[in-house]
Amino acid sequence: MANPRGREAGSPLPDSGGASLSRRTVLLGAGALAAGAVVAEPIRALAAGLANPDGPKSWADPKVPELTHHVVETNGIGMHLVEQGSGPLVILLHGFPECWYSWRHQLTMLAEAGFRAVAPDLRGYGQSDCLQDGGKYTILDYIGDVVGLVDTSHVEQAVIAGHDFGATIAWQAALMRPDRFRAVIGLSAPFRPRGFGTSVLPTTVMPQNDKAVYYQLYLATPEAEIGMEQNRRQTLRSLFFHMSGEGLRAADPAAADLEPGMIQRRGAVLADDPPLPGWITTAELDVYVEEFTRSGFHGPLSWYRNIDRSWELLGVTQGAAVTIPALYMAGDRDFVVAANREFIPQQAKLVPKLHRPLILPGCGHWTQQERATDVGAAMIDFLQKL
């Protein structure tokens, strides 16, 4: 589904060129992604009645006047973001399947603590541009978008925070551009060398068998997109419940023997209609349904289709360390934590300024939503000590 703003963007990314490239080349190259945007080529919006591409670039949120919406040009795309507060800049990157709204609680908490909090819709999501070219969703595309966002904010540096795949983007942006990011906060996904923590193409070592497949392999398939588009409300409701602490406590005994992150090949994947977990209301779910009705799932799922390409592009970062202050938070019931258990205690080796990790009891995957107050308080404490 095309984005309502109807823009194609981004120049083809260069190959990593192998590990012979210097760290300086990596840093300069990442900056060029933001500064060297090409002329955008329009694409046709496929749905009627969506946003006017010639509409306002900034507007107040009619439901929450404290929030200001903007559409900015960065790295050749139009990026929608929501902002609250003034002071040092903190950029908040969402995961899948979310949007800026997943940070709704922390936006206010950070603003009240004296920070300028900005939560964008990442490319392919919500009101940001959704590119038809599925190859334009590599990790360097996302990093270029966020570096460009710092430029549009008229500041030299920001703190970058991310959840889920947004944390992967945040970790690697912090590693590649310490000149633009002065600290990093990762939720759910820990820091992993070369983004994905493997020495070979990541998808070649993701587990699968006759009964189940690793979730990232499944999300890269056409079947995943078709299935999720059939009933967006049911898709989102199911994911929010089953991947939360509440859902994991009520897990189907038939799936108990599956390794973390595995999805049954046959059965009721995303086909049930569970209750809403306690941390999200029907009205809040409606916001997500509206945003994914606007964008569709093509852009969001394209991250998973580019995992191997992203790993190749990060080859020049092999062995490099995150040199800025860092904080890691996750729920003890998060399947991502279970699937990456080996990387969490190893983070300090390549993140020397990492603060003591915060593991939240009873919390599942949706960290900043399930434990909104705890996450906001920990972020503020970390930021105030920088």
Side-chain angles (χ1 to χ4, degrees):
M1 181 177 181
N3 183 271
R5 297 186 66 254
R7 294 177 57 88
E8 180 71 65
S11 57
L13 290 170
D15 194 280
S16 63
S20 62
L21 293 181
S22 68
R23 178 174 173 79
R24 176 178 175 81
T25 302
V26 174
L27 298 179
L28 294 176
L33 287 170
V38 297
V39 176
E41 299 175 1
I43 59 175
R44 181 174 175 269
L46 299 181
L50 296 176
N52 181 358
D54 299 320
K57 299 297 184 181
S58 297
W59 64 97
D61 193 307
K63 296 180 180 178
V64 187
E66 296 83 4
L67 300 177
T68 302
H69 294 249
H70 305 280
V71 174
V72 301
E73 300 297 319
T74 171
N75 195 26
I77 68 166
M79 173 177 277
H80 168 250
L81 57 89
V82 178
E83 178 176 1
Q84 186 174 356
S86 59
L89 178 62
V90 183
I91 297 175
L92 308 167
L93 308 182
H94 63 78
F96 173 85
E98 298 174 291
C99 61
W100 75 267
Y101 193 66
S102 71
W103 295 101
R104 58 195 178 278
H105 307 293
Q106 289 76 31
L107 281 166
T108 298
M109 293 181 70
L110 290 168
E112 291 177 349
F115 295 94
R116 178 187 177 190
V118 171
D121 285 334
L122 294 173
R123 62 168 56 204
Y125 286 81
Q127 298 181 62
S128 290
D129 283 348
C130 181
L131 311 182
Q132 289 183 324
D133 184 348
K136 293 182 178 179
Y137 291 88
T138 73
I139 193 167
L140 291 191
D141 288 299
Y142 289 100
I143 292 174
D145 295 345
V146 181
V147 171
L149 176 56
V150 178
D151 291 337
T152 69
S153 300
H154 307 294
V155 298
E156 289 298 317
Q157 289 188 312
V159 173
I160 187 169
H163 169 251
D164 186 66
F165 89 95
T168 300
I169 297 167
W171 287 119
Q172 300 304 316
L175 183 152
M176 299 174 74
R177 296 304 304 267
D179 58 324
R180 306 312 306 272
F181 302 107
R182 65 190 184 97
V184 57
I185 303 171
L187 278 63
S188 182
F191 175 77
R192 292 167 292 185
R194 206 164 168 176
F196 303 93
T198 63
S199 57
V200 296
L201 291 173
T203 63
T204 64
V205 294
M206 290 178 182
Q208 57 179 314
N209 53 50
D210 292 341
K211 296 182 179 180
V213 61
Y214 195 62
Y215 79 100
Q216 293 188 13
L217 292 175
Y218 169 74
L219 293 177
T221 65
E223 290 77 16
E225 183 173 344
I226 293 170
M228 290 182 174
E229 291 284 8
Q230 287 179 347
N231 188 328
R232 298 184 185 98
R233 179 175 297 275
Q234 183 172 289
T235 293
L236 293 165
R237 188 186 190 105
S238 183
L239 286 170
F240 287 157
F241 176 77
H242 288 298
M243 293 165 62
S244 71
E246 294 174 46
L248 290 168
R249 283 193 293 272
D252 182 356
D257 60 343
L258 293 178
E259 290 294 316
M262 298 295 284
I263 293 177
Q264 292 177 327
R265 290 187 183 273
R266 300 179 181 84
V269 177
L270 304 181
D272 59 349
D273 193 20
L276 276 180
W279 49 267
I280 187 171
T281 67
T282 299
E284 290 171 329
L285 178 64
D286 289 343
V287 174
Y288 283 107
V289 175
E290 179 180 358
E291 292 307 300
F292 278 90
T293 298
R294 185 195 307 274
S295 67
F297 281 91
H298 171 73
L301 291 174
S302 291
W303 162 268
Y304 299 98
R305 296 164 182 152
N306 282 280
I307 284 177
D308 284 345
R309 179 60 175 157
S310 292
W311 177 87
E312 291 174 333
L313 290 168
L314 290 175
V316 291
T317 69
Q318 186 70 38
V322 175
T323 58
I324 60 177
L327 175 65
Y328 174 70
M329 290 184 278
D332 67 354
R333 292 181 178 269
D334 189 344
F335 79 96
V336 173
V337 170
N340 291 278
R341 62 177 73 91
E342 65 181 287
F343 294 108
I344 294 174
Q346 295 177 5
Q347 288 185 105
K349 296 179 181 178
L350 289 175
V351 190
K353 295 183 181 179
L354 178 69
H355 287 221
R356 183 177 181 179
L358 176 61
I359 305 300
L360 302 166
C363 179
H365 181 61
W366 312 106
T367 326
Q368 72 269 29
Q369 299 184 82
E370 292 187 55
R371 295 291 188 275
T373 301
D374 292 335
V375 168
M379 292 178 72
I380 291 167
D381 181 66
F382 171 75
L383 292 168
Q384 289 177 337
K385 293 177 180 177
L386 293 176

